[in-house]
Amino acid sequence: MEPIVLDTTGADIQGESARIQQRGPVALVELPGGVPAWSVTDQAVLRSLLADPRVSKDPRQHWMSFINGEITEAWPLLPWVAVDNMFTAYGADHRRLRRLVSPAFGHRRSTALRPRIAEITENLLDALAATPAGEPVDLRSGFAYPVPIRVITELVGVPEGLGPALHKCVDGFFDGSFTAEQAQANYLEMYGLVGELVAYRRAHPGDDVTSALIATRDEDDSALSEKELVDTLMLIINAGHETTVNFARPSDRRPAHPS
């Protein structure tokens, strides 16, 4: 059976998911760049795989195509698998990174951010409410997108001057139309910006996740490498934004008022 070629435009995510599920608990799909992969749709099978020591998200240990050099910089999704953070770490390395990163997301820091989250949310809702009667509003661009990106950049302590460029790079990470060259250039640009963030917070520490991770790194060089520090921040910024914004689908357009 031919693999299901994933639509990088995301035009019909729900329909595509349904077609994959119809193939059974494990279905062959094709990622961008013609790379084959298995999509697991059954929870029991997934739990079994996650508990299997032969399976992980670390390509250096468990993906023969990556190990053999078949996956190169020409693959547009390489930035997602060639990083050193909890997204790809396995076994003892994963547990070590979780232990080091978890304190940065303590209850006190999260609670302290709640008033600012409420302020961001209320301002955006007020803007939507001000839409003239009968005009459509896009919940994704007007609400679901700006809430998480603003919150996550404040949580990690991004200075105002880096915000716009960093937001642009985050958008690029999830742009399925990017060529391999564009994806690599976007990755390098964001890597540099996060490096600037680390340098800024080293010189101007604050009550934020970046400063907390820097303190961990600088107190014990063997605990968290500089690359792991930057890669972890990239994961926090990208994944922290993307998982929330996609709660609202591009089709979530509706009139601003019932009238």
Side-chain angles (χ1 to χ4, degrees):
M1 184 177 293
E2 290 294 315
I4 295 177
V5 180
L6 299 183
D7 179 9
T8 57
T9 68
D12 183 21
I13 296 175
Q14 286 72 35
E16 185 174 69
S17 297
R19 290 190 293 275
I20 293 173
Q21 289 179 325
Q22 289 172 359
R23 291 282 184 93
V26 181
L28 183 63
V29 299
E30 183 178 299
L31 301 175
V35 174
W38 293 101
S39 177
V40 181
T41 62
D42 184 272
Q43 290 187 8
V45 175
L46 183 59
R47 282 195 294 268
S48 177
L49 285 172
L50 291 175
D52 194 313
R54 298 169 298 176
V55 179
S56 80
K57 292 191 292 185
D58 184 350
R60 298 170 183 84
Q61 294 190 51
H62 296 116
W63 190 10
M64 291 309 301
S65 295
F66 188 93
I67 296 170
N68 295 336
E70 299 170 31
I71 304 299
T72 68
E73 290 187 357
W75 192 43
L77 297 184
L78 184 68
W80 280 104
V81 301
V83 291
D84 292 322
N85 56 37
M86 289 183 295
F87 188 74
T88 57
Y90 175 67
D93 273 340
H94 188 269
R95 291 190 292 273
R96 174 178 62 87
L97 289 172
R98 281 184 60 90
R99 175 177 56 81
L100 294 169
V101 172
S102 293
F105 291 90
H107 177 72
R108 181 192 59 79
R109 181 171 288 111
S110 301
T111 301
L113 196 59
R114 290 185 67 176
R116 177 58 181 148
I117 295 173
E119 181 183 1
I120 291 171
T121 302
E122 289 169 3
N123 289 341
L124 290 169
L125 289 175
D126 288 344
L128 291 177
T131 305
E135 286 191 15
V137 294
D138 191 327
L139 291 181
R140 186 182 178 89
S141 63
F143 187 77
Y145 175 86
V147 168
I149 194 65
R150 292 182 189 178
V151 171
I152 201 70
T153 51
E154 292 197 16
L155 181 66
V156 300
V158 176
E160 187 175 342
L162 288 180
L166 198 59
H167 294 178
K168 179 175 177 292
C169 286
V170 171
D171 288 344
F173 250 82
F174 301 98
D175 191 332
S177 68
F178 269 18
T179 64
E181 292 77 13
Q182 289 173 314
Q184 183 69 6
N186 186 73
Y187 168 76
L188 292 175
E189 182 179 358
M190 184 169 184
Y191 201 90
L193 290 170
V194 175
E196 290 183 43
L197 165 62
V198 171
Y200 178 85
R201 283 302 168 198
R202 272 207 171 98
H204 308 88
D207 187 16
D208 55 77
V209 169
T210 300
S211 298
L213 291 177
I214 289 171
T216 300
R217 154 70 180 154
D218 292 352
E219 288 169 5
D220 183 359
D221 287 350
S222 64
L224 191 69
S225 72
E226 192 72 10
K227 187 175 188 300
E228 287 175 335
L229 170 61
V230 175
D231 284 357
T232 294
L233 287 168
M234 291 185 70
L235 172 65
I236 292 170
I237 294 168
N238 281 310
H241 162 69
E242 188 268 347
T243 51
T244 306
V245 72
N246 281 327
F247 278 129
R249 301 182 298 276
S251 60
D252 283 340
R253 297 178 63 89
R254 60 198 67 184
H257 306 277
S259 57

